[in-house]
Amino acid sequence: ANGYYYSRWAKCIWSSHDLSDMVFIDNYIFNKDVFIQFNSSVGEYVGYTEHGVYNAQLYNKDPNILQQERAEVEGVCKHNAEIDQSTITGKS
């Protein structure tokens, strides 16, 4: 597979049943290396390469982008985790 590889992986991580420790992580990946990441614990983008640092600075200046990413914990992560937990609890 010659060429370039780009992907974006978003994930929700938590360990408690009340979901109070939930973290949303959004990775931007180029050729299998994360070059920029949003982590809800940090609350902004962090760049890991020159290109990633440049984009992180741009994204962090835009309150709409940050607000959208920060809202993913409630709108996506907790919403789906509650559905998953109720499904699992209902089968016990």
Side-chain angles (χ1 to χ4, degrees):
N2 295 329
Y4 300 101
Y5 173 82
Y6 173 82
S7 66
R8 184 175 172 189
W9 291 9
K11 56 187 167 184
C12 305
I13 302 170
W14 74 98
S15 60
S16 65
H17 290 288
D18 65 1
L19 310 178
S20 61
D21 63 344
M22 184 165 282
V23 177
F24 172 71
I25 298 174
D26 192 2
N27 290 311
Y28 295 72
I29 303 160
F30 182 73
N31 285 351
K32 300 181 182 178
D33 291 321
V34 175
F35 68 94
I36 188 173
Q37 178 185 80
F38 178 85
N39 183 319
S40 64
S41 294
V42 177
E44 64 182 21
Y45 286 90
V46 176
Y48 296 103
T49 65
E50 185 178 345
H51 180 65
V53 169
Y54 173 80
N55 282 296
Q57 291 171 346
L58 288 177
Y59 296 165
N60 289 333
K61 289 179 185 176
D62 188 333
N64 293 324
I65 292 174
L66 290 177
Q67 182 181 10
Q68 183 178 352
E69 286 282 30
R70 291 173 182 155
E72 295 295 320
V73 174
E74 294 294 327
V76 174
C77 293
K78 287 187 179 179
H79 172 75
N80 288 320
E82 288 168 354
I83 292 170
D84 293 345
Q85 284 185 349
S86 68
T87 302
I88 292 167
T89 305
K91 292 185 177 185
S92 312

